[in-house]
Amino acid sequence: MFGKTHTVLLLFFLVPGLLPAEVELAPLFRDGAVLQQGVPVPVWGTAEAWESVTVKFKGQVRTTVTDEHGRWQVRLDSLTASTEPAQLVVAGRNTITVGDVLVGEVWLCSGQSNMLFRVNEGRDAKREIAAADHPLIREFSVKSMIADAPLVTVGGEWQTCSPATVGEFTAVGYFFARDLQARLGVPVGLIKATLGGSPIEGWMSAEALARTANAAAIERRWRGMATDYNVRTARYERELAAWNQARLTAQSSHTPFTAAKPVKAYNDNDRNRPGGLYNGFIHPLEPYALAGFLWYQGEGNTGRASEYAELFQTMIAQWRSDFAQPARPFLFVQLASYDDPKDKSGQSWAWLRAAQAKALDLQNTGMAVAMDLGNPSNIHPTNKQAVGGRLARLALKNVYGLSINDRGPVFASTQREGTVLRLKFANAAGLSLVGDPHVAFAIAGEDRRFVPANAVVSGDTVVVSAVEITAPVAVRFNWVNSSLVTLQNDAGLPAAPFRSDNW
């Protein structure tokens, strides 16, 4: 549906006459790897057709024979977490020894630039890097390409967390892993598969996209992008020149400069290619055993919220199926505050956040609210410590069974009391409001015209009102692109944006 198969690398592994004679392992099985505890662990690779291959790890021995294409896979029995390095040995006509292998919790971290965002770019970077002596935390950074057909291998290597290496780690993933490792006491492996500026349709397979109601619209949009490549390239060059001039002006006047650098037009390798990122970054990792998925993406789809809910839920189901782990936890970050200069409505990010939240209808999903952590003038807020910490809370409670508060107040219902609305919440112990409520709350009557509202906390409820609205029927909270007003509980965790209407 989204392009013909031209990938030579794929053919290399499918045509028997081109197969290598030596045994090869899939890319994640390299020195310093972390294998997942508590579940059967697939180990796979390639060799000569019909070759016998033996895998040894921690006293387990598995032997298999490759198929006619030289592909092989064995499955190790469930492993127990271990901080002691071990060797994974694979033998056929040749022998491969993978050293320094740990067993613990493995999470796939994916999405666009806010997941790619590095520790060395974030808040308190020097202090965080100096303190990052955590040899039981490892990261595999996928070095791949956008592809028009599924690849079977990628570049990359496992890095052990230290002050010398952590600067390049995904910041969200690192702070998540640091909290997990401290509480669980087991190794934590992160697999970073990210690309800035990427839309969700790039992270889904062509087959999954074809099953959605938005398939035809996505195909038309991509074909339009591909045909106007020269126009987009010229626009990029103009925008880049203006960006460089603005940056130099800011430097000469010693003023902060946070404008995002323009994104280059890539034509066939464009990050907007439907399925292109899945083919190049995700497919080669399957079916590595995982604890779960971490996802931070959505900025690349603002303005198309009506598509996102279906695409996001379809992608979650597809990834779980492709990794042969249909119930694996999928934790994601709801978009932070940002005054998008391209959005004149002031609400496109609000609707995208709502589309993200619909994924909570799926089993074993969790959402970290980040509205209060944003920067209205910077699409890349630097406080990734709190983002990673909120994801860790979700995992520690719902995946690992710890007794911990994992979310903020949850909007439950409204009750009309004369000229005011009383809002009721779950998980609202110690409810408090930080910031100007007129910025965050709006109410409407039957005419559906929303106006800014005053809000007063009353126990575990909030009472909202506005002079102009004498018969309120609906309320919205933080239903805007950017607001740093926070409604939080005694754990300091914020409520997600919400609305009581279905207009």
Side-chain angles (χ1 to χ4, degrees), residues 322-374:
D322 288 358
F323 280 88
Q325 298 172 89
R328 275 303 184 222
F330 197 105
L331 310 180
F332 59 95
V333 182
Q334 192 181 46
L335 293 187
S337 287
Y338 178 60
D339 279 330
D340 188 344
K342 297 179 181 179
D343 176 34
K344 304 306 179 184
S345 74
Q347 291 190 336
S348 67
W349 287 55
W351 293 107
L352 198 286
R353 293 185 191 104
Q356 290 178 303
K358 289 182 179 179
L360 295 174
D361 293 339
L362 300 179
Q363 179 186 16
N364 292 339
T365 56
M367 183 177 75
V369 177
M371 187 81 176
D372 59 317
L373 304 175

Side-chain angles (χ1 to χ4, degrees), residues 211 312-322 326 330 362:
R211 294 193 295 268
F312 191 25
Q313 293 181 56
T314 301
M315 190 200 80
I316 293 171
Q318 183 222 320
W319 282 22
R320 286 171 163 174
S321 175
D322 288 358
F330 197 105
L362 300 179

Side-chain angles (χ1 to χ4, degrees), residues 53 131 146 321 468 479:
V53 176
I146 300 163
S321 175
E468 305 96 310
W479 209 260

Side-chain angles (χ1 to χ4, degrees), residues 72-253:
W72 61 267
Q73 182 181 128
V74 300
R75 189 173 292 261
L76 300 174
D77 291 340
S78 177
L79 300 169
T80 301
S82 174
T83 61
E84 293 297 322
Q87 290 185 337
L88 174 69
V89 179
V90 180
R93 297 187 180 183
N94 60 298
T95 299
I96 301 173
T97 300
V98 181
D100 191 24
V101 178
L102 303 179
V103 180
E105 295 295 300
V106 184
W107 288 80
L108 173 59
C109 307
S110 190
Q112 57 183 109
S113 54
N114 271 307
M115 183 62 85
L116 175 63
F117 190 94
R118 300 169 181 85
V119 174
N120 61 21
E121 300 173 297
R123 193 183 68 171
D124 299 330
K126 290 184 179 179
R127 179 178 61 83
E128 295 288 9
I129 289 171
D133 184 17
H134 301 292
L136 297 182
I137 298 176
R138 311 278 178 87
E139 182 192 79
F140 185 98
S141 180
V142 176
K143 294 176 174 57
S144 191
M145 57 185 288
I146 300 163
D148 61 356
L151 304 185
V152 295
T153 190
V154 291
E157 60 185 11
W158 287 93
Q159 293 282 353
T160 298
C161 178
S162 73
T165 62
V166 75
E168 295 296 315
F169 278 34
T170 160
V172 168
Y174 166 66
F175 295 119
F176 168 86
R178 187 178 67 179
D179 286 3
L180 250 62
Q181 207 283 313
R183 296 296 295 269
L184 302 178
V186 303
V188 179
L190 304 172
I191 303 170
K192 180 176 69 177
T194 59
L195 188 68
S198 55
I200 193 170
E201 53 264 36
W203 293 101
M204 304 168 63
S205 70
E207 293 76 16
L209 281 167
R211 294 193 295 268
T212 70
N214 298 291
I218 292 169
E219 171 72 355
R220 286 194 300 271
R221 189 161 59 240
W222 166 244
R223 291 192 182 280
M225 289 181 181
T227 55
D228 71 352
Y229 172 67
N230 292 333
V231 174
R232 290 186 295 119
T233 298
R235 182 172 64 243
Y236 161 75
E237 291 173 351
R238 292 194 301 271
E239 291 176 350
L240 180 62
W243 182 84
N244 282 324
Q245 183 58 52
R247 180 168 58 89
L248 291 172
T249 301
Q251 289 175 345
S252 63
S253 61

Side-chain angles (χ1 to χ4, degrees), residues 288-304:
Y288 202 75
L290 302 171
F293 306 90
L294 301 181
W295 177 255
Y296 194 162
Q297 189 276 337
E299 300 92 339
N301 289 85
T302 53
R304 301 195 298 273

Side-chain angles (χ1 to χ4, degrees), residues 4 7 60 68 77 89 101 269 300 328 367 370 373 383 419 465 483 491:
K4 297 179 180 179
T7 307
Q60 296 190 45
E68 67 270 24
D77 291 340
V89 179
V101 178
N269 289 330
R328 275 303 184 222
M367 183 177 75
L373 304 175
N383 185 3
T419 61
S465 62
S483 166

